[in-house]
Structure formats: C-alpha cells, structure tokens
C-alpha cells in the first residue's frame, strides 16, 4: 500500500497465512500530505484537505509500486519505531531509486536540513530537484497547484438515488481500504466519492469488536481479508453499484484478472447470501456453482461441511410434483406422487417486502398480499404459471430451523429447491430492464375491499352480483368443503361464499365460546375442494344471502344468538366444465 508520496507499506511472501507488514518512509524527501477526515464525534474539528500535488505523488507511487517486488534498506530507525530508508524497484539496489524518481518529477522536495556534503545520494537528490525547478515540473510549475486538490466527498446524501443514477454502468475506482474479505472502501472516479461497498451475493468471515475495543476475528477472517487485499488494495478496478437496501451499497468489483466475488466463494473464503444475491448482475448461478465447488472440496470455512441433503435419497433430491398452492412469491405447496403435501421454497430469492411504514395504513388491517408493493403481482405470476401443473423439483439445500434473535424472527426448517417446468427459463436482467420491483414507475396500489364479514356491504353488493349473472373469480381460501373465500378481480373485492344446495361437515375453528370440534369427514371434504379449486380461476353465479351458523334443517345455535350474524353469499361455483356441487 502507498500511504503517501513518501511512505509505503511492504509485506513479505506469504507462508501459511498473511505475512507481517512494515512501513518504510523514504529518506531525505518530503511529499504533500493527503486529505484526512475529521474524527467522528468531534464537531469542532474540520476535515483536512489535500496539500497541493499530494494526491499526484501518491498516484505516481501507486501505479509504479503496487503489486511489484521492491528492495529496501533502512538507514534510520527512530525511538518510536519509524523506519526511514531507500526503496528500489526490483530485486536489488540496481533498480530504480523511488525517491529520485519522485524528486525528478517535481512531486517531492528534498529535506536539505542536515545534508552532509560527502553523501552522494543526498547530492544526487538536490541535483534532481534543481533540474525539476528549472523545468517547472509538478509543484514547481506555475499556479501553485490548487487545481491538484481533490474535492473529496465522504458522505452521500441519498445513497439509493445515487446508485440508481448510475444505471448499473461500470465506473472507474481505486480500492482504498479492505475492511474484510467482502467489504471495501472505494474512491469513485472522476468525482472522488469515497463509498463503502459490500460485495453482492456473498459474506466473508468478519472481525467482531469486543466490549474492551479489541477485535476478535472469526475463523478465516484474516485469511479472507488478505486474499482480497493482495488482489485489490489500491488497484484500478471497475465497480458496478447494483443496489442500496437500508443505506448499504451493494456492488460487484470487476478486475482484469477475475471476479473477486466468485474467487472468494471458490476458495472457501465466503458463503452465498440469498438476500443480496438477487441483485448480483453477473448471474446468481455462477455464485452457487463456485460455493458448491468449495463445499465439495471441503476447504477453509467448509472444512467440516456436511451436505444437508447427504441423507436424502435420490428420489427425495429430485422429484416430480403437482403445484397445489402458491403460498408466497418464493414458496409453494406441492403434492408428491405419494399423496403427501410438501412446502418448497425457491432457492436464492426472496419475495417483495414492506420497507418502512409508508405502505401501512394504521386505520386498517395490514394485508401483505395487497399492501406490500408487487407482492400480489409476484404471487399472480406464479399462480397463473404453475397452479395445477406438474413441475420438476431439485432440492439444493435444507436450511435448518433458527430461533428468534434480537432483530430476526424464528424460522422453521426450509427445503430450498430449484423448480422448473418445461425446461429451464432463460434469465434476463430485471434490474437493467427496469422490470417489476426495479421499475421507476409508481408502485401499483391494490384497493381490495373485504366484505366477507360486513353485513351491510354484503346486502348492498348482492343485487349487483345477481344482475351480473356469472362473474369471474379466484378462489383465495377454503374454509371447509362448501365454504370458501373468493377474490373477484373485476369488482376488486373479497367475499365469503357457500356452495348452494349442499352443506359439508364443518372443520375445527375458534368460536367465541371456545374451540369448535371438527365434524367427521370435514378434513377430507376440505381437501377435496382444495385440490379442485384453490387458487383456480372459476366463474360463479349468486343466488341469495344467508347468515352463518343457520341452516333450515337445524335449530339456531344458542351461541349465535349472543353474537351479531355474519352473512355470506350462496353461490353455484362452476369449475372448468363441471358443476362443483
């Protein structure tokens, strides 16, 4: 690393781990000081700007030395341990003298105090400085060098807008600091923005700060940091800034020698992270393949790895199933050939989520399907494509159950899989093309009225349905074999309805007086109806309005006389070509 125009950090050859480092300060010369940011929590202290030509001197050394082999000798070592000496490019002192090169370019001045006349090295530096002055090079040029002072920007007022404004185009940058294997500090060019970038799709072991201020590295944290440092620190790179969730800038670093994200995974220094993998523009399948390679070789963080699917038979790893319900944009219920039902989560993606309180109306019940932007569209995309279809399921991994944390809920065990139908879909860049969640358009708003428990609204709505004759609908929920909840797209409402002319056994449910016990064959009746119509598109016609809990062949239950009647529509429901009843 080049700290300034007159100070560098060198390290030896690695042998079994990160090698020790030494700072070498160049003897007999001085270069301008680089800008420094004021310490946090000290409002009276201001940022210090670059001195003229300081950045140019640093850049001259950076381009000449970074990643190169050098030879040095130490002339002076102070009481505080600072080392001053001469640095030569190459294996021995016959190489280029770095101090002389800086002075010759007018990027450093000679410390003339204490010069000994019989010292040929000091005399040579003075001669080169006089030549640079005569040629008006660097700091000896006219104008004072104010144009060489950078306008450094340490903070960005609106990081998300900043990232969006770049349209995921590669921008030139210099990696100024490596915090850990997957988090770096970069200087964006040519506008000199200093930004912290987390690599999209992965996470490396980190350094945890203890209560006493010391840092405790996780296993392989130091090695992962060294792996990234030795390849990227102070290198010229290009960065694609891909997203900015919760003020965290996610990006991919492009270098002529390879993609550091994929290299870290392949060498077992990182693991895939589902929440940020969705924005990785180079293709998430590449990250999965790189991680899988490290797992198979059991290297570094995967040295004790045991495949979560190792105990699964081949028939449990790959199977054909029928999609019965789309639970969410990343989860579905499938029916196996054995008749068993299984919930499958799609690997490496997550559904739309609610950000902040802006989508919540405190005066109404929050309904994720309709109130979270693009949740309904995502569910509908899968429902229309998959409901009732046979799909191929390949289990990628099983995520173990986790308990609740300080800021995270508990999760039950999840089977994560790749689901295909009719071959593998070709992936396109949704972010690049501005699709769905990544669109610049205003988010869609779904004002869906739920009148399933509203007596007055139900009365007002019934004549409209009767005049309409048959109406198109989607079965959203099955309460029992003959009692369902219906979403009517044209009318944008949810209604509870009963199949006309029949009554199925009641399922168990909570009632004000306690738990109502399920009647015989209620589960079988409900499952029968679910398999036929759940989340299917149907047409229906309305006959009448009937109170819940009342049937002409039974006496009114005492319990129902103590509570206000809810009402439901009585329908005949037509499913494809058969009358369901």
């Amino acid at each position: 690393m080049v700290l300034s125009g007159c100070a560098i950090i060198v390290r030896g050859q690695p042998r079994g781990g990160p090698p020790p480092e030494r700072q070498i300060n160049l003897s007999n010369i001085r270069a301008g000081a680089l800008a420094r940011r004021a310490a946090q929590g000290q409002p009276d202290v201001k940022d210090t700007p670059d001195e003229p030509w300081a950045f140019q001197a640093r850049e001259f050394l950076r381009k000449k030395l970074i990643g190169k082999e050098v030879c040095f000798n130490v002339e002076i070592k102070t009481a505080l341990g600072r080392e001053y000496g001469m640095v030569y490019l190459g294996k021995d002192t016959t190489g280029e003298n770095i101090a002389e090169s800086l002075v010759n370019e007018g990027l450093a001045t000679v410390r003339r105090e204490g010069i000994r006349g019989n010292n040929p090295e000091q005399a040579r530096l003075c001669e080169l400085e006089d030549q640079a002055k005569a040629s008006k090079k660097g700091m000896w040029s006219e104008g004072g060098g104010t144009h060489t002072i950078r306008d450094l920007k340490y903070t960005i007022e609106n990081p998300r807008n900043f990232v969006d404004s770049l349209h995921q185009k590669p921008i030139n940058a210099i990696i100024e600091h490596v915090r850990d294997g997957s988090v770096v500090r970069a200087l964006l060019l040519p506008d000199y923005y200093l930004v912290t970038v987390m690599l999209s799709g992965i996470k490396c072991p980190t350094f945890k700060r203890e209560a006493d201020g010391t840092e405790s590295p996780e296993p392989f944290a130091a090695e992962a940091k060294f792996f990234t440092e030795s390849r990227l620190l102070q290198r010229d790179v290009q960065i694609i800034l891909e997203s900015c969730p919760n003020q965290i800038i996610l990006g991919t670093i492009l270098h002529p020698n390879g993609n550091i994200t994929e290299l870290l995974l392949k060498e077992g220094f990182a693991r895939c992270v589902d929440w940020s993998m969705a924005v990785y523009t180079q293709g998430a399948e590449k990250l999965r393949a790189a991680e899988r390679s490290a797992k198979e070789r059991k290297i570094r963080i995967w040295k004790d790895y045991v495949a979560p699917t190792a105990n699964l038979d081949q028939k449990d790893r790959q199977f054909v199933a029928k999609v019965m319900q789309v639970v969410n944009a990343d989860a579905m219920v499938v029916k196996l050939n054995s008749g068993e039902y299984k919930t499958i989560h799609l690997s490496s993606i997550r559904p739309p989520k609610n950000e902040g309180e802006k989508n919540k109306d405190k005066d109404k019940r929050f309904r994720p399907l309709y109130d979270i932007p693009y949740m309904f569209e995502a569910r509908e995309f899968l429902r229309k494509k998959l409901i009732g279809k046979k799909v191929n399921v390949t289990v990628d991994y099983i995520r173990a159950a986790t308990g609740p944390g300080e800021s995270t809920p508990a999760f039950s065990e999840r089977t994560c899989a790749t689901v295909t139908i009719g071959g593998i879909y070709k992936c396109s860049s949704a972010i690049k093309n501005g699709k769905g969640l990544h669109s610049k358009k205003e988010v869609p708003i779904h004002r869906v009225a739920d009148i399933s428990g509203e007596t007055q609204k139900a009365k007002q709505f019934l004549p409209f349905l009767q005049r309409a004759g048959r109406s198109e609908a989607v079965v959203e929920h099955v309460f029992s074999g003959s009692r369902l909840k219906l979403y009517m797209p044209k009318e944008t409402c949810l209604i509870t309805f009963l199949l006309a002319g029949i009554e199925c056994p009641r399922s168990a449910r909570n009632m004000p007086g306690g738990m109502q016990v399920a009647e015989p064959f209620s589960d079988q009746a409900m499952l029968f109806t679910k398999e036929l119509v759940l989340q299917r598109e149907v047409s229906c016609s309305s006959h009448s309005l009937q109170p819940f809990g009342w049937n002409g062949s039974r006496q009114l239950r005492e319990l129902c006389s103590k509570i206000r009647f809810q009402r439901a529509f009585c329908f005949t429901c037509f499913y494809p070509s058969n009358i369901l009843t």
Side-chain angles (χ1 to χ4, degrees):
M1 183 176 183
V2 177
L3 298 177
S4 69
C6 56
I8 64 173
I9 290 180
V10 297
R11 56 169 37 141
Q13 294 297 325
R15 291 182 176 86
E21 300 176 351
R22 291 175 72 174
Q23 178 176 329
I24 305 298
N25 302 281
L26 298 179
S27 296
N28 304 320
I29 68 168
R30 181 191 179 279
L34 291 168
R36 297 191 66 174
R37 190 179 185 186
Q40 300 293 318
Q42 298 182 13
D44 297 335
V45 181
K46 295 183 178 180
D47 298 336
T48 304
D50 288 333
E51 290 184 357
W53 296 97
F55 183 65
Q56 285 66 29
R58 198 290 297 261
E59 286 295 272
F60 178 81
L61 282 193
R62 183 182 70 82
K63 293 176 181 179
K64 187 177 288 289
L65 297 182
I66 286 296
K68 304 289 181 60
E69 191 173 24
V70 297
C71 169
F72 67 93
N73 57 53
V74 176
E75 299 176 343
I76 301 172
K77 187 170 184 178
T78 68
L80 297 176
R82 296 194 72 177
E83 296 180 313
Y84 291 84
M86 304 300 289
V87 177
Y88 303 89
L89 188 59
K91 296 181 180 294
D92 52 46
T93 57
T94 61
E96 178 182 346
N97 185 311
I98 300 304
E100 290 181 2
S101 297
L102 280 163
V103 173
N104 185 57
E105 294 296 325
L107 297 174
T109 59
V110 179
R111 296 180 184 271
R112 293 178 179 266
E113 62 275 13
I115 288 181
R116 299 185 299 275
N118 60 351
N119 187 322
E121 292 179 350
Q122 290 178 325
R124 172 65 177 161
L125 288 174
C126 290
E127 180 184 343
L128 290 171
E129 184 179 61
D130 292 338
Q131 292 175 5
K133 286 180 180 180
S135 302
K136 295 184 178 181
K137 287 185 177 181
M139 64 179 63
W140 309 115
S141 61
E142 297 177 357
T146 54
H147 65 284
T148 65
I149 300 174
R150 295 172 296 169
D151 178 21
L152 273 174
K153 304 169 186 69
Y154 296 103
T155 58
I156 299 174
E157 185 175 343
N158 192 324
R160 176 169 294 184
N161 287 348
F162 176 77
V163 171
D164 290 344
S165 70
L166 297 173
H167 306 294
Q168 296 193 347
K169 295 180 179 178
I171 54 177
N172 295 326
I174 302 169
I175 303 302
E176 295 288 354
H177 175 68
V178 175
R179 193 180 79 186
D180 59 51
S182 55
V183 179
V184 301
R185 186 82 162 158
L187 179 67
L188 305 184
L189 302 174
D191 297 321
Y192 300 120
Y193 282 99
L194 267 172
V195 298
T196 299
V197 179
M198 178 180 293
L199 296 179
S200 300
I202 69 167
K203 186 178 187 301
C204 290
T206 60
F207 298 81
K208 294 183 177 180
R209 187 170 294 277
E210 304 295 342
D212 59 1
T214 60
E215 286 190 338
S216 173
E218 295 178 343
F220 296 102
E223 291 86 345
K225 180 180 178 181
F226 173 66
F227 186 87
T228 300
E229 271 189 348
S230 60
R231 287 159 177 78
L232 293 186
L233 184 59
Q234 290 200 329
R235 300 301 211 283
D236 292 307
V237 299
Q238 286 192 316
I239 301 181
I240 301 175
L241 301 184
E242 293 163 325
S243 184
C244 184
N246 302 321
Q247 307 299 303
I248 300 172
I249 295 180
L250 298 172
T252 296
I253 299 174
L254 305 177
H255 188 274
N257 292 338
N259 185 323
I260 193 66
T261 305
E262 294 171 19
L263 286 174
L264 284 164
L265 283 170
K266 190 175 181 180
E267 294 302 320
F269 286 119
R271 65 182 72 245
C272 289
V273 178
D274 290 343
W275 72 268
S276 66
M277 193 183 297
V279 303
Y280 182 69
T281 54
Q282 307 297 299
E285 65 278 1
K286 294 181 180 179
L287 301 190
R288 285 287 180 210
E291 183 187 61
R292 189 160 52 247
S293 172
K295 287 178 176 178
E296 290 171 353
R297 290 177 288 142
K298 294 188 175 183
I299 58 173
R300 299 188 176 93
I301 67 173
W302 305 112
K303 62 186 179 68
D304 299 321
Y305 174 74
V306 177
T309 59
N311 297 324
L312 293 178
D313 294 333
Q314 184 61 31
K315 64 181 180 63
D316 295 324
R317 290 184 186 179
Q318 291 185 318
F319 53 87
V320 176
K322 183 178 181 181
V323 178
M324 305 306 298
Q325 180 183 0
V326 176
V327 180
N328 203 336
D330 71 334
M332 64 190 71
V333 176
V334 298
K335 184 180 181 180
L336 310 181
N337 290 335
S338 63
E340 177 189 357
Y341 286 80
K342 190 176 185 67
T343 300
I344 298 294
H345 291 264
L346 300 181
S347 299
S348 305
I349 70 168
R350 59 175 177 168
K353 66 176 183 177
N354 190 46
E355 296 187 4
E357 299 293 321
K358 63 182 180 180
N359 297 312
K360 293 186 181 181
D361 185 343
K362 295 181 181 179
D363 296 329
K364 70 172 186 177
R365 178 171 59 89
F366 181 65
R367 301 172 299 173
L369 181 62
Y370 307 109
D371 294 335
I372 294 179
Y374 293 102
M375 178 72 84
F376 181 77
E377 285 76 11
R379 198 287 303 264
E380 283 295 274
F381 177 84
L382 288 185
R383 184 187 67 80
K384 291 177 180 179
K385 191 175 289 291
L386 299 180
I387 279 293
K389 303 288 182 61
K390 291 285 185 73
V391 295
N392 300 303
V393 180
T394 302
V395 177
D396 297 317
Y397 57 97
I398 297 176
R399 178 177 291 173
T402 58
E406 293 182 3
S407 58
T408 57
F411 288 102
S412 57
E413 182 180 272
R414 289 186 174 189
T415 299
C416 299
T418 298
V419 176
T420 60
I421 178 172
I424 300 175
Y425 293 118
K426 181 180 178 181
C427 297
S428 62
S429 176
I431 298 178
K432 181 179 179 180
N433 297 325
K435 295 181 179 180
L437 286 164
H438 312 290
S439 172
K440 305 301 180 185
K441 301 176 183 178
E442 290 190 13
V443 298
I445 298 174
H446 299 281
R447 294 184 173 89
V448 178
D450 189 347
I451 61 175
S452 57
E454 300 286 342
T455 304
Q456 293 303 318
K457 288 183 179 180
K459 284 182 178 179
Q460 295 168 6
F461 197 57
L462 175 62
F464 173 79
L465 289 177
Q466 290 174 326
R467 289 194 302 271
R470 286 195 183 187
S471 300
E472 303 303 316
V474 176
V475 177
E476 286 287 356
H477 188 70
V478 176
F479 298 104
S480 70
S482 57
R483 179 172 169 245
L484 309 94
K485 177 172 281 192
L486 197 79
Y487 170 65
M488 310 190 76
K490 187 176 180 181
E491 293 78 13
T492 61
C493 68
L494 289 164
I495 59 175
T496 301
F497 69 99
L498 307 177
L499 298 179
I502 67 167
E503 181 182 22
C504 289
R506 297 174 182 272
S507 303
R509 55 176 172 163
N510 284 317
M511 299 292 286
M515 188 70 180
Q516 178 179 301
V517 180
E519 296 178 353
F521 296 102
S522 61
D523 291 341
Q524 291 89 330
M526 181 169 65
L527 184 60
F528 178 85
T529 301
K530 272 188 174 182
E531 291 197 4
L532 282 177
V533 298
L534 181 60
Q535 292 190 336
R536 308 295 182 96
E537 295 173 3
V538 299
S539 60
C540 54
S541 60
S542 174
H543 300 321
S544 61
L545 199 66
Q546 177 179 322
F548 286 176
W550 170 259
N551 184 286
S553 64
R554 298 184 181 181
Q555 292 185 343
L556 184 64
R557 300 177 186 272
E558 287 186 17
L559 179 62
C560 292
S561 67
K562 299 176 183 177
I563 61 174
R564 193 179 77 173
F565 280 138
Q566 289 182 313
R567 296 180 178 269
F569 295 98
C570 278
F571 280 86
T572 298
C573 186
F574 301 93
Y575 169 65
S577 60
N578 304 313
I579 298 178
L580 185 65
T581 52

